Amino acid sequence: MASEISHQHQLHVFIFPFTTQGHMIPMIHIAKLFAARGVKTTIITTPLTAITLSKTIDQDRVISGLNISIQTIPFPAVEVGLPEGTESVTQLASPDMIPKFFLAVGMLQQTFEKLLEEHHPDFVVADMFLAWTTEAAAKFGIPRMVFHGTNIFSQCVAESLTINKPFESIMNDKESFLVPGLPDKIEMTLSQVPQHIKNKSDSLFSALAEEIRDSEQKSYGVLVNSFNELESAYAEHYKNAMGIRAWQIGPVSLRSNDTLDKPDRGKKSSVEEHNILKWLDSKKPNSVIYVSFGSMSKLPNDQLTEIATGLEESGCSFIGVGRKMMIDEDEKFLPEGFEERMKGKGLIIREWAPQVLILGHPAVGGFMTHCGWNSILEGITAGVPMITWPMFAEQFYNEKFVTEVLKIGSTVGA
């Protein structure tokens, strides 16, 4: 029997994430999930991203014995007019660079196809933004699975808005409309609908959305970072209304419980985790609010000032995350003397925060979030109620899911 098993073919999967943290983090967890189940797993990514991943992947390979590795693929930043070394959306200095970035992403197809021809994996799991991977994999008879990075509810809302366009007769944001065909009564306003759905003249993202939709229809199916008990009605609706196979494999962040990278959650934290845990240990249960708006949000200074003032006047202990991309270098948004007054009461983390560790601590009793799906699912997993403040894209759908379907959060109303 042992001899028979040893001659069996070992499944091999290519995991191909989009190079931004909100997409990278869950896909790396998925890679580890496959590897932990005996699948040979190869992560396809860019050179600089590979450097940030190498420590945790090496740990999984050496300490845990997982058959997992990284294969780099050069990113043609200079060829499209981006600064040398640009490999992620978070590195872009202005929104004007986004079309160039996606042009460079499309140019990866030829190199990716050479890897497929050389290694011929059994299947590919590629990010939604890499729509061309369905076509590339099909050339070699390889099935491609799509990873969206959000829940099934949001995909159902997006599909209904795209097909039915219930907002077309709405002229202002004072009037709400019903999203048709969903298991729950979901109402939205015009400003909560992404621009590429409202306005086809938003050519880049409208075209990209069409490519994603088409590639999903032609793919083998979809992997979803969710679980059936959370949104069973929408899983059924997705299968019946959209006719696409979907597998709910989340919460994939739970994979961190078995590895050494839980504190970093995809990136090295800017603060030693034991210092944060020591600070949290000094607080009463459910007495701390955690405030974080993700890796892509950028708030005006006056809003940040109001948030800081509100936290101070609330009297609550808090942890606030302020990354360089969302604040000015001189940090003028902080009220004068704020940090001095907040010593012991508030903790400000600049850059990356060990979010999974923070949310899982008994002292944390609330989470103000931008409604990115990774953050929401980590909040749900930790059992922490949420204050929702969506910024863009499907974050407005996620807010509806949290506040109206699950009823585990309250909206700021922004």
Side-chain angles (χ1 to χ4, degrees):
M1 182 66 177
S3 175
E4 183 181 322
I5 292 174
S6 67
H7 287 91
Q8 288 180 354
H9 170 70
Q10 183 183 25
L11 286 174
H12 183 195
V13 59
F14 272 10
I15 304 289
F16 198 171
F18 187 68
T19 53
T20 188
Q21 286 300 321
H23 291 243
M24 285 285 298
I25 291 169
M27 289 202 75
I28 298 307
H29 288 318
I30 288 172
K32 294 177 181 182
L33 284 171
F34 276 119
R37 283 154 178 78
V39 180
K40 180 182 177 182
T41 304
T42 303
I43 299 167
I44 311 298
T45 193
T46 56
L48 293 179
T49 305
I51 293 172
T52 65
L53 293 177
S54 60
K55 180 182 176 182
T56 178
I57 298 304
D58 288 346
Q59 287 173 343
D60 280 296
R61 187 170 54 249
V62 175
I63 298 174
S64 302
L66 301 185
N67 190 350
I68 187 169
S69 61
I70 299 172
Q71 174 73 53
T72 60
I73 185 168
F75 193 82
V78 175
E79 290 89 327
V80 299
L82 292 172
E84 186 174 358
T86 301
E87 294 182 0
S88 172
V89 174
T90 55
Q91 293 176 284
L92 302 181
S94 73
D96 296 338
M97 293 183 172
I98 292 176
K100 293 181 179 179
F101 185 84
F102 276 99
L103 178 62
V105 169
M107 291 169 63
L108 298 175
Q109 181 170 349
Q110 187 175 0
T111 311
F112 180 64
E113 288 181 3
K114 289 179 181 178
L115 290 177
L116 291 174
E117 186 175 24
E118 180 183 351
H119 298 277
H120 211 282
D122 294 283
F123 61 107
V124 171
V125 179
D127 189 275
M128 58 178 281
F129 284 125
L130 308 175
W132 46 264
T133 55
T134 295
E135 176 192 348
K139 290 180 181 179
F140 303 93
I142 299 170
R144 180 249 175 153
M145 293 183 178
V146 183
F147 180 72
H148 272 278
T150 189
N151 53 12
I152 290 180
F153 170 85
S154 290
Q155 294 179 60
C156 292
V157 172
E159 180 72 4
S160 177
L161 292 175
T162 301
I163 298 298
N164 299 302
K165 304 191 182 305
F167 48 81
E168 284 190 324
S169 61
I170 305 298
M171 302 305 294
N172 60 67
D173 220 38
K174 293 180 181 179
E175 185 181 356
S176 63
F177 62 87
L178 181 69
V179 182
L182 299 180
D184 293 290
K185 182 182 177 181
I186 302 298
E187 292 185 351
M188 299 185 68
T189 59
L190 202 57
S191 65
Q192 294 171 329
V193 180
Q195 190 64 29
H196 71 268
I197 293 180
K198 284 189 292 191
N199 184 4
K200 288 293 184 181
S201 65
D202 183 6
S203 56
L204 171 64
F205 286 103
S206 293
L208 189 59
E210 286 299 319
E211 290 173 14
I212 291 168
R213 197 163 175 268
D214 182 60
S215 71
E216 183 181 281
Q217 292 285 344
K218 294 176 181 176
S219 73
Y220 188 77
V222 175
L223 296 185
V224 185
N225 184 18
S226 182
F227 53 100
N228 192 62
E229 293 84 353
L230 188 68
E231 47 177 353
S232 57
Y234 290 91
E236 191 69 20
H237 177 79
Y238 186 84
K239 180 177 69 174
N240 295 334
M242 299 174 66
I244 300 172
R245 287 179 289 197
W247 292 269
Q248 293 166 291
I249 60 170
V252 297
S253 62
L254 293 178
R255 177 65 200 166
S256 293
N257 291 333
D258 302 321
T259 60
L260 300 178
D261 65 327
K262 183 175 181 179
D264 296 345
R265 187 187 170 267
K267 202 171 183 180
K268 182 63 182 173
S269 173
S270 58
V271 179
E272 291 294 332
E273 60 268 12
H274 71 267
N275 290 334
I276 298 173
L277 292 177
K278 183 179 178 182
W279 186 87
L280 285 168
D281 286 342
S282 70
K283 304 300 178 183
K284 295 179 180 179
N286 298 318
S287 66
V288 177
I289 185 167
Y290 174 59
V291 181
S292 177
F293 295 106
S295 58
M296 294 286 292
S297 302
K298 188 174 181 66
L299 278 71
N301 273 9
D302 56 352
Q303 282 191 336
L304 292 167
T305 300
E306 290 298 321
I307 291 170
T309 302
L311 287 169
E312 181 175 2
E313 292 182 355
S314 74
C316 289
S317 296
F318 67 88
I319 294 178
V321 181
R323 301 192 179 95
K324 285 181 181 176
M325 74 163 294
M326 64 176 287
I327 60 176
D328 288 340
E329 290 293 331
D330 57 8
E331 299 188 353
K332 289 180 180 177
F333 72 90
L334 287 176
E336 188 173 350
F338 177 80
E339 287 197 80
E340 186 65 30
R341 293 192 301 275
M342 291 297 100
K343 277 186 178 177
K345 193 74 176 176
L347 186 64
I348 295 177
I349 299 176
R350 290 159 175 82
E351 295 304 316
W352 202 252
Q355 181 162 292
V356 173
L357 279 181
I358 291 170
L359 288 172
H361 196 282
V364 176
F367 179 18
M368 178 178 278
T369 174
H370 67 303
C371 297
W373 182 241
N374 291 334
S375 291
I376 286 177
L377 199 54
E378 287 164 6
I380 290 171
T381 303
V384 178
M386 285 166 259
I387 302 170
T388 59
W389 192 336
M391 302 286 167
F392 55 85
E394 83 285 350
Q395 293 168 9
F396 293 98
Y397 312 156
N398 293 338
E399 178 184 53
K400 296 290 183 181
F401 187 58
V402 167
T403 60
E404 297 182 18
V405 178
L406 299 179
K407 294 180 170 59
I408 56 170
S410 297
T411 176
V412 165

